[in-house]
Amino acid sequence: MNVIVANDYKEMSQTASQMIEEQITEKPDSVLGLATGGTPLGTYHELIKGYHEGRADYSLLSTINLDEYVGLAPEHPQSYRHFMDQHLFRLINIDLENTHIPFGKTEDLEQECSRYEKVIDQIGPPDLQLLGIGENGHIGFNEPGTSFDSETHIVHLTDSTREANARFFESMEDVPTKAITMGIRSILKSRKIILLASGERKAEAILQLIQWELDEQFPASSLKSHDDITLIVDKDAYKKVQRKG
Ligand code: F6R
């Protein structure tokens, strides 16, 4: 595992965006795996800036997002489709037809999961997958206990994950209880993976990621079986590792 420790959130975001831009320059029709949440926002901001400065052309790019809340329509302000459109896709020259996110408002969840896994196999796997990490070690919405063999599936969100995401909703009751997520096996198909973490809130998860062996109780540990992982963390997220070292 390659580890890059950035001074702060901005430097972490710039480092990640540079790696993404290099990937797109090298292969303009790359497939990017993308995440939502607070952590990648700075990276998306840097990519938009780079687009305006002529550093990358997204016209041939395809994207596959990790997850979506069950029950939220694409136009719902808290849906991940809306998040991606608002924070990245509508601000660069990507063809929206080439952006893929599970459809959370489906009547048939099982069918949506198998449709999405087919999308991953037909369009992907991603050349480069961007990940955040939950405080409990989740990646995508793969909570502790998820099989490392899992493909796209439905998850019941844990209370801690719902609480962590409640900040985006008006009240706790509005936070969905289920989500569709790419499975661990689907994520590990990616050729290259970048995991981002920022802030002290993530320090324990990063310490566990570095220390733990493969263990389904800590989903991010599955990344240890992949041969091209780059961890880009800021100093606060790396604090506990440095203290141990
Ligand atoms: C989002 C996702 C999640 C987040 C994780 C961290 O698509 O897959 O695994 O990456 O919950 O979220 P933030 O970045 O908000 O701390």
Side-chain angles (χ1 to χ4, degrees), residues 41-54:
L41 276 178
T43 305
Y44 297 156
H45 174 79
E46 294 297 331
L47 291 177
I48 294 159
K49 197 162 150 239
Y51 165 63
H52 288 293
E53 289 168 4

Side-chain angles (χ1 to χ4, degrees), residues 14-28 30 47 55-56 58 128 192:
Q14 286 170 334
T15 308
S17 69
Q18 272 162 22
M19 285 177 70
I20 294 170
E21 285 169 353
E22 276 163 26
Q23 171 67 41
I24 298 169
T25 306
E26 218 170 88
K27 188 176 173 223
S30 288
L47 291 177
R55 285 205 300 271
Y58 295 86
L128 178 59
K192 244 184 253 175

Side-chain angles (χ1 to χ4, degrees), residues 35-40 66-67 80 132-134 138-140 167 201-202:
T36 54
T39 311
L66 285 166
D67 40 20
Y80 284 173
I133 183 169
H138 72 228
I139 50 173
R167 66 192 193 276
R201 207 162 56 83
K202 298 292 170 69

Side-chain angles (χ1 to χ4, degrees), residues 1 5 45 50 87 124 126-127 144 147 151 185 239:
M1 195 180 298
V5 184
H45 174 79
H87 293 293
D127 294 290
S147 163
E151 295 194 323
R185 182 138 67 91
K239 231 177 206 164

Side-chain angles (χ1 to χ4, degrees), residues 126-172:
D127 294 290
L128 178 59
Q129 171 72 54
L130 194 62
L131 294 177
I133 183 169
E135 287 168 52
N136 63 2
H138 72 228
I139 50 173
F141 269 131
N142 295 290
E143 302 284 8
T146 306
S147 163
F148 284 177
D149 242 354
S150 51
E151 295 194 323
T152 304
H153 63 285
I154 304 298
V155 286
H156 293 265
L157 303 177
T158 62
D159 290 344
S160 73
T161 297
R162 290 183 70 236
E163 272 157 29
N165 290 4
R167 66 192 193 276
F168 299 111
F169 291 84
E170 276 184 13
S171 71
M172 195 54 195

